[in-house]
Amino acid sequence: MKETIVFLTGAGISAESGLQTFRDAGGLWHGHRVEDVASPEAWEKDPSMVLAFYDARRRAVRDARPNVAHEAIAALEERCEVIVVTQNIDDLHERAGSRNVLHVHGEILKARSTVDPSLVYRLAKATIDMGDLCEKGSQLRPDVVFFGEGVYALAEARKAMRNARRVVVVGTSLTVFPVAGLVKEAPFDAERYVISPDSHQQVPDGYMFLQGKASDEVPRLLRDWP
Ligand code: NAD
């Protein structure tokens, strides 16, 4: 039964909450390419630098507030079954009220053991410091997916896409795989949309492009749904 409405979201939906996309940030952090900081190799070589990078992201997330796009998606849950598949590591969907969120790239407000990935902790403080240990005595790292690591909940995300009656892709360049490949899983007879202000946005076959900011286009599209 195709009843679910699936949102596939990326950094662009949180841009208007003040959280920069990597591209808007120039793809750099303190002169390093973001892909070189958020990587398993960087963690091996210089974990303090990686922790500092994510501490800064976490501070920005704590200071940010959900915007009307997050809120419109959450409000839709009162009327239909909604699944949000997000590449974002922030918690703005949850703070807006969404209850069904798959964080395929992890969550910045959580820490994870480096010896046992099943040991995940909600952070009580703003930073993860060297010497912060899991209950098995190993260093904690952010519970986020570094570039090159396997993503979370991919099977669940695929299943959601396959059962979707409508799919809305918001604020993602669709360049980070495997998540970008999820768009192809949607049924051919589902209504499918891509929202982005970028005239060079990738728009997969079968998707309708709504060019504009998430804060304008998401509430406009959802107004009369279901
Ligand atoms: P991305 O690949 O997610 O692309 C950002 C997209 O958002 C672009 O297509 C851009 O045109 C679009 N966009 C910009 N402003 C928008 C707006 N107001 N409304 C709608 N769309 C808008 O971006 P990236 O920054 O290169 O991200 C790479 C990876 O890092 C992804 O996993 C991303 O989600 C993650 N990331 C997450 C956060 C966060 O959690 N808030 C922030 C930065 C990056």
Side-chain angles (χ1 to χ4, degrees):
M1 213 173 44
K2 297 169 194 164
E3 291 301 337
T4 315
I5 301 180
V6 175
F7 292 84
L8 177 61
T9 68
I13 196 170
S14 296
E16 292 169 77
S17 292
L19 300 178
Q20 284 194 319
T21 65
F22 287 160
R23 198 189 320 181
D24 289 338
L28 294 177
W29 180 73
H30 289 210
H32 304 282
R33 290 173 61 231
V34 171
E35 290 84 348
D36 295 337
V37 181
S39 72
E41 295 77 21
W43 177 254
E44 276 299 307
K45 209 168 99 194
D46 192 351
S48 304
M49 179 184 74
V50 177
L51 290 178
F53 171 75
Y54 283 107
D55 285 349
R57 306 275 77 70
R58 192 175 304 106
R59 269 194 294 277
V61 166
R62 286 179 160 213
D63 290 344
R65 296 280 169 271
N67 64 56
V68 293
H70 299 103
E71 285 163 0
I73 293 169
L76 191 65
E77 254 185 48
E78 289 161 22
R79 319 200 287 278
C80 9
E81 189 188 334
V82 173
I83 299 179
V84 179
V85 178
T86 188
Q87 297 171 84
N88 293 344
I89 58 176
D90 66 53
D91 66 340
L92 297 184
H93 282 298
E94 287 90 341
R95 276 199 265 155
S98 286
R99 282 164 299 179
N100 223 347
V101 185
L102 296 177
H103 280 277
V104 287
H105 288 168
E107 295 175 71
I108 187 82
L109 299 179
K110 293 181 179 171
R112 155 157 67 96
S113 161
T114 42
V115 292
D116 181 349
S118 73
L119 296 177
V120 172
Y121 307 90
R122 179 156 281 280
L123 280 167
K125 61 187 179 111
T127 58
I128 302 176
D129 301 303
M130 293 305 292
D132 288 350
L133 306 178
C134 75
E135 65 215 55
K136 292 187 176 171
S138 86
Q139 175 64 42
L140 289 176
R141 59 167 274 181
D143 187 27
V144 299
V145 174
F146 295 153
F147 286 96
E149 291 185 323
V151 303
Y152 295 167
L154 196 58
E156 255 182 286
R158 282 202 180 108
K159 187 169 165 215
M161 291 297 269
R162 286 176 188 153
N163 288 326
R165 177 163 54 95
R166 292 171 167 145
V167 175
V168 187
V169 177
V170 192
T172 169
S173 57
L174 294 176
T175 53
V176 180
F177 281 81
V179 175
L182 287 171
V183 293
K184 294 206 171 74
E185 304 283 345
F188 72 92
D189 58 346
E191 278 178 45
R192 291 160 285 169
Y193 304 89
V194 173
I195 294 174
S196 155
D198 183 355
S199 58
H200 298 106
Q201 170 69 40
Q202 293 220 29
V203 182
D205 285 349
Y207 283 72
M208 183 184 291
F209 183 37
L210 305 175
Q211 187 176 3
K213 295 192 289 189
S215 62
D216 292 328
E217 296 304 321
V218 175
R220 201 198 319 272
L221 179 65
L222 308 195
R223 197 163 39 218
D224 301 323
W225 284 8

